[in-house]
Amino acid sequence: GWRFAAGEDPGSLTPFELETAAAFRIFEKMNVSYGVVEVGMGGATDATNIMRQKSVTVITKIDLDHQEYLGNTIEEIAKVKAGIMRPGVPCIVDHSNPSSVLKVLRQHASNIGTQIRPSWKGESLLAGLDTERFKLEDYERQNLLCATLAFQHLFPNLEIDVNKLLAMEPLPSGRKESVKVLGLTGGTREKPILVDGAHNLLGAEALASYVQHQVRQGDEPVSWVMGLSDSKSKPFAKVISTLVQPQDNFAFVEYAPAPNEPPPAPAELGREIGRSIVRHESQLYNGDPRVGAGVQWACDKAGDGPVILTGSLYLIRNFYKLDGVEPKRKLKTRRPGPSQLWWYIQQSQQRTLTPEEAREFKRARRHWYLSPARNSTFRALRYGGPPKSAGVPERIRALQRQADFHKKQADGYRSAIASMEKDLAAESEDAAAATDKSDLQASMETLKRHHEEHLSAYNSAMFKIRGYVPLPENKMMSYEQVFGRPPKPKVPQFPFPEDDATAPATAEDDAPVSRDATTASQSVQAARGEDKRAESQSSRFGKRASRREGTSSKETAATEARDLVDKLTRGRVVSEAESSKP
């Protein structure tokens, strides 16, 4: 395993540095061939820049952010960003950056012995992009160009299908994500809200363009919930005014920071800025500064209108932890691939695995056994887990709800009609009752009409669901309808099953035989009772004799009972023979 260098104090490492080291350790143990590592902040001084072996580096659009750490000008920030470059490793750069930024990046690349590739060189790779289906913003198109160029550098012989890539929705969590808040709002908001972590001016401008073109309908008000980290250099007024319009609702909230995280901007600061933008004080949120309360207020104000949660990614993290929030892209649900399993198989064939390797080999086998790729039932699932039931189209769901409603209404009217028919049957013949009877008949006719209407609507909805009209002859028939007679009843057991020679009586002789058999059974029970009383009254030595006497008494009683049954049977046979004579 990995360990700290000599003399290094692990207590001085930040949580992000420890998490980065743990992530790289996991990548090594999982034998990851290629990994996409995003810089946390800046570049040259970031913990992720400790990675030595790089295949390609990418620098996207640069803007003013974290000036207290990276520099006060965009050129100074670009110089810090350029620190991720490595000698001989190409660097893909977003060509829409200002010329001053591109100049700094080219100068740094020349100094360390590498070169940059502007993103416009990948325009030919997007020639087959379906622009009608995928309406990309400018920054999304530039990011896609950078990604395709980096992929082409790593795998020059593989074809890139950008339409298939975009169909998989390759957006990270918290970026233009639709999130359900039905549980958070107590069932009042069924429509999902939009979540986007636009925490700087560049991100706010991109989000404002997206909302204006694809979310906002005309002058429709949008309900905003925003929270930003506190920074002296962050232009709060510009960020808020870029997004919020005078007709919108605005809630500025705070997040709960974890250790070594920047504090949130105070909610009062956001309210003061929002007060100068919106038209009326009722459009501002002035309640609990927590994100959950702000989202509930925004959903109540919006109704069915759009609700957008934006700002710091720390705020988005707190929001995802709330009960009743259902992100579209679930985290920590993907299973590992077979690469680790293959690697351990190769190693086990060459040498004996260490206990740690054997344990991880077993874990990899379990992951592969549960992998969706091995089972057709799970293959269609995106995140693994139990198989889901087949999706029912919304049209069928609506028809089912409609049929259920009309069925309940028809049943209710039928019950009311049956009750009124009973009342009419019980009415007296006097004049006053006749008047009431006529009123009841008129009401019953109305109920019957409503019953027929709902029944017709129910049958119509069920026909659209089934596609055919169910016929009575196609329903399940009873036993008597199939065979023309009721099911044969079970033959009752004879009172004395130990006598194999006896046979059950016929139906017409059941009654007398059962009475005489009951008499014989009672005599046997009486004999057994006498035996028990005799045993209880005798001594220890007398018990043996009483048992023998009891046994003989039981045999005698059983013999008498059988004789009685034989007598009755012979009498029945004789009577049947006499009745059969002409």
Side-chain angles (χ1 to χ4, degrees):
W2 59 277
R3 58 183 181 273
F4 293 103
E8 185 178 10
D9 182 13
S12 62
L13 296 179
T14 64
F16 182 75
E17 291 172 341
L18 288 173
E19 291 170 359
T20 302
F24 286 166
R25 171 62 175 166
I26 293 173
F27 295 161
E28 179 187 3
K29 298 298 292 183
M30 295 294 291
N31 302 285
V32 176
S33 301
Y34 295 95
V36 180
V37 181
E38 183 182 6
V39 173
M41 182 178 65
T45 58
D46 191 74
T48 58
N49 202 36
I50 197 174
M51 187 168 49
R52 299 175 182 175
Q53 188 176 357
K54 298 182 180 181
S55 300
V56 63
T57 57
V58 179
I59 298 178
T60 57
K61 192 68 173 289
I62 299 176
D63 192 33
L64 291 174
D65 198 9
H66 307 293
Q67 288 95 312
E68 59 269 30
Y69 303 103
L70 306 179
N72 295 322
T73 64
I74 194 171
E75 290 78 16
E76 293 178 356
I77 296 176
K79 190 173 182 179
V80 178
K81 297 276 188 181
I84 66 172
M85 297 183 187
R86 290 292 184 271
V89 178
C91 180
I92 313 298
V93 177
D94 185 347
H95 74 274
S96 63
N97 276 296
S99 58
S100 59
V101 171
L102 296 177
K103 181 179 179 180
V104 171
L105 297 179
R106 287 194 183 96
Q107 183 64 37
H108 184 82
S110 177
N111 293 338
I112 67 171
T114 187
Q115 57 182 349
I116 65 173
R117 294 187 63 188
S119 58
W120 60 264
K121 291 187 176 182
E123 289 286 351
S124 60
L125 300 175
L126 304 186
L129 177 63
D130 188 354
T131 56
E132 294 295 329
R133 180 182 178 187
F134 305 107
K135 302 182 183 301
L136 302 180
E137 299 292 328
D138 292 338
Y139 77 95
E140 291 177 323
R141 184 178 180 86
Q142 294 300 325
N143 291 342
L144 183 59
L145 285 172
C146 293
T148 50
L149 278 176
F151 184 85
Q152 186 190 45
H153 172 75
L154 294 176
F155 309 101
N157 297 325
L158 294 181
E159 183 180 356
I160 303 174
D161 189 347
V162 291
N163 293 316
K164 184 177 180 180
L165 173 67
L166 294 176
M168 298 171 61
E169 300 181 0
L171 294 175
S173 181
R175 299 290 186 180
K176 293 169 59 176
E177 183 177 8
S178 296
V179 179
K180 295 182 179 180
V181 292
L182 186 64
L184 179 64
T185 59
T188 59
R189 174 82 181 189
E190 296 184 0
K191 188 177 180 180
I193 70 173
L194 179 66
V195 177
D196 189 275
H199 56 278
N200 53 27
L201 184 57
L202 184 63
E205 292 174 351
L207 178 59
S209 175
Y210 173 76
V211 171
Q212 190 64 29
H213 292 96
Q214 301 191 33
V215 178
R216 192 190 297 270
Q217 303 293 332
D219 292 335
E220 179 187 24
V222 175
S223 297
W224 296 89
V225 181
M226 183 183 296
L228 298 170
S229 60
D230 194 9
S231 175
K232 297 179 180 179
S233 58
K234 190 179 293 290
F236 294 102
K238 286 186 177 181
V239 172
I240 296 175
S241 60
T242 301
L243 296 172
V244 182
Q245 295 188 7
Q247 70 272 21
D248 294 344
N249 303 308
F250 180 64
F252 197 88
V253 295
E254 302 174 5
Y255 61 86
N260 297 313
E261 289 182 355
E268 185 59 33
L269 172 63
R271 278 197 296 269
E272 288 298 327
I273 298 174
R275 190 172 286 110
S276 63
I277 299 175
V278 299
R279 297 169 180 169
H280 195 269
E281 187 71 21
S282 61
Q283 298 172 238
L284 290 175
Y285 174 66
N286 190 16
D288 188 350
R290 289 178 294 184
V291 60
V295 171
Q296 292 183 15
W297 174 85
C299 292
D300 293 339
K301 294 287 289 185
D304 291 335
V307 177
I308 302 176
L309 174 67
T310 185
S312 173
L313 294 176
Y314 302 124
L315 177 75
I316 307 300
R317 178 198 59 194
N318 285 9
F319 173 69
Y320 283 157
K321 292 181 179 180
L322 296 177
D323 294 334
V325 176
E326 302 177 21
K328 185 177 180 180
R329 290 180 288 274
K330 298 181 180 179
L331 303 178
K332 301 179 181 179
T333 52
R334 283 192 179 273
R335 303 186 186 277
S339 59
Q340 186 185 21
L341 178 62
W342 177 87
W343 189 84
Y344 278 120
I345 290 176
Q346 300 297 319
Q347 295 298 316
S348 63
Q349 293 175 353
Q350 299 174 7
R351 59 177 176 83
T352 303
L353 299 179
T354 64
E356 181 184 3
E357 290 175 338
R359 183 171 59 253
E360 294 184 358
F361 186 23
K362 180 179 179 181
R363 189 178 304 165
R365 293 198 303 271
R366 182 170 66 250
H367 287 160
W368 173 242
Y369 179 77
L370 299 175
S371 172
R374 296 186 67 254
N375 194 319
S376 59
T377 304
F378 292 87
R379 195 172 298 144
L381 300 181
R382 184 174 178 184
Y383 295 108
K388 301 177 182 178
S389 58
V392 180
E394 184 59 30
R395 183 182 67 86
I396 301 299
R397 289 291 189 193
L399 289 173
Q400 290 175 344
R401 290 191 292 266
Q402 181 181 355
D404 181 65
F405 168 75
H406 290 295
K407 184 69 166 58
K408 290 180 179 178
Q409 294 294 321
D411 292 343
Y413 281 117
R414 185 173 63 251
S415 300
I417 291 171
S419 177
M420 294 183 70
E421 287 177 347
K422 290 182 180 179
D423 294 341
L424 287 173
E427 285 290 344
S428 60
E429 298 297 334
D430 56 354
T435 304
D436 296 339
K437 186 175 181 179
S438 62
D439 294 340
L440 286 175
Q441 288 178 345
S443 300
M444 190 167 62
E445 292 298 329
T446 304
L447 293 178
K448 287 182 178 180
R449 186 175 68 255
H450 290 319
H451 172 262
E452 292 297 331
E453 291 174 356
H454 285 287
L455 190 61
S456 176
Y458 166 75
N459 291 330
S460 175
M462 292 303 296
F463 174 76
K464 294 177 181 178
I465 295 174
R466 295 193 190 104
Y468 63 91
V469 178
L471 301 176
E473 57 268 19
N474 291 339
K475 294 183 178 180
M476 294 294 293
M477 293 187 294
S478 64
Y479 185 95
E480 188 171 0
Q481 289 174 331
V482 174
F483 297 100
R485 56 181 172 80
K488 187 176 180 180
K490 293 183 179 180
V491 179
Q493 291 288 338
F494 199 69
F496 300 98
E498 65 270 10
D499 190 357
D500 297 335
T502 59
T506 57
E508 59 270 16
D509 295 331
D510 279 347
V513 172
S514 61
R515 285 195 298 270
D516 294 331
T518 303
T519 304
S521 177
Q522 290 175 353
S523 64
V524 173
Q525 293 177 359
R528 291 177 179 175
E530 292 177 359
D531 294 341
K532 291 181 180 180
R533 286 193 296 272
E535 289 179 3
S536 62
Q537 294 174 0
S538 63
S539 61
R540 185 167 65 90
F541 296 100
K543 285 182 180 179
R544 297 177 183 175
S546 63
R547 288 195 189 100
R548 288 194 295 270
E549 293 174 358
T551 302
S552 60
S553 301
K554 286 190 287 185
E555 292 176 354
T556 303
T559 303
E560 292 177 356
R562 283 196 294 271
D563 293 341
L564 177 60
V565 172
D566 292 341
K567 181 180 178 181
L568 293 173
T569 305
R570 285 196 299 271
R572 183 180 61 197
V573 172
V574 171
S575 63
E576 289 178 354
E578 291 177 353
S579 62
S580 62
K581 291 180 180 180

